[in-house]
Amino acid sequence: MTSQDLLLRILNKLFLGLAAAGIFFGVMGRSRAAERPNIVLILADDLGYGDVSCYGATKVQTPNIDKVAESGLRFLDAHSSSATCTPSRYALLTGEYPWRKKGTGILPGDANLIIKPGSTTLPEMLRKGGYKTGAVGKWHLGLGDGEIDWNTEIKPGPLEIGFDYSFIMPATADRVPCVFVENHRVVDLDAKDPIQVSFKEKVGSDPTGQEHPELLKMRPSHGHDMTIVNGISRIGYMSGGKSARWVDEELAQTLTKQAVGFIEKNKDGPFFLYFATHDIHVPRVPNARFAGKSGMGPRGDVILQFDWTVGEIVKTLRQLKLEDNTILIVTSDNGPVVDDGYQDQAREKLNGHRPAGPLRGGKYSAFEGGTRVPFILSWPGHVKSGVSDALICQIDFLASFAQLTGCRLNQADGPDSLNILPAFVGDSKMGRDYVVEHAFVLALRKGNQKFIEPGKGPKFSKPTATETGIDPDGLFYDLTDDIGETNNLSIQVSEKAKQYQAELEKLRKEGRSRP
């Protein structure tokens, strides 16, 4: 052996040792970034902590998600940034807490884009780093600037905030317009049948659920009684665009086909796919292949449908031999909700199923069930399979993926996004020191201790009866032996509660939390 060979062998051993020790990520300037793995983020809608069998569900089985968990890392304390959809998506893409910015609440279907074009976002950062970026599925972050004309170019939108390609639902399936927008235009629109949309007054002559309930195949339980599309009344009024309107039973198949197509087109990579599915959101209208299969009604059926979607993405990655060079993440935008506007027997057919598992609350709630969500990350050959109880948050994708890919962030970028890459890939058992949970009020988690700030409003949101976590005196829990948040300690730890409140106020005033 020559002296040069010996030196190379010593350097190689030193390099591997640093990687195994976790130093590789910081000291070596993130050398693994040269690989630039593909990133596929599958974001479910309203999928609860207890809705997945690898998280303990027994009444419904999710074998495809379970297989991802078997090959990857399953997180037990992962959080979305908000207990509702628009704000959690805003934070995921921007790295900024949504409560810092006005207008990030749940948006109507004709809202304008709430992310400023030109700002640093997760897709924009990755695009500058050489990635092809795609957005498929539910958007709900607004489109355009001013009154939207759905019959011409619709922008700004996903393409103006970092995506190279987009095929989206403008808002949600329970809101008009019930059409797909590909890049800047409505798909399959007939110019002779222009679209009109209003959330203030009726437009056109299409029947509404309020006027003609006999035309409905799914009746609303509250609201959701305006224009009827595909036998389902929605929020808002719409006329025209008959050839462009989606069929609810085919939503999952259509979106999955587009996601698969993006992967196939960009298989030579690197690429980033933000695949925001519609399931498990209302209206829950499963395809015939899943209808009635769960034994839990439409809500259970669309959980099976979402699991199928995950399976199709995994199958595509495997067939294209991309599995080993792709980070696949399966998670949810917020916690679960059962009755959310339609009479689909979701509550009656739970049959003992607990959508939030052992957690209290759900969508809209400051309790753990509002933001603690399923989160699985798989990267075969790079991330060891197992379970992690590290405290992590989706808001940290921006800073963590910047470290992973060698991209740079300016000081003003992602003001609340932290680099917790070692936790994401399982090299560290430590994630965040704290996380801010956002619903009608804010909550501060530090380790296993949690403070929900005082608030005004109903303790239960009506008519869904989801616990909001609102209390005029505030709430304090120790989750170590009380994950279900049943024992309020606010009186016993009043001084600590005041300290946590002060920390929340400081976070509000400082305008950022990233060092």
Side-chain angles (χ1 to χ4, degrees), residues 475-506:
L475 300 165
F476 199 101
Y477 298 97
D478 188 333
L479 306 183
T480 305
D481 297 311
D482 185 24
I483 193 173
E485 294 170 284
T486 59
N487 184 23
N488 176 22
L489 303 173
S490 59
I491 296 178
Q492 295 94 312
V493 295
S494 59
E495 290 303 313
K496 183 169 284 189
K498 290 178 182 178
Q499 175 190 334
Y500 276 44
Q501 181 69 75
E503 291 183 34
L504 280 175
E505 291 305 318
K506 183 180 179 182

Side-chain angles (χ1 to χ4, degrees), residues 54-71:
C54 63
Y55 278 86
T58 58
K59 302 296 182 180
V60 63
Q61 296 298 307
T62 51
N64 292 305
I65 299 174
D66 294 354
K67 288 178 182 177
V68 177
E70 288 173 7
S71 67

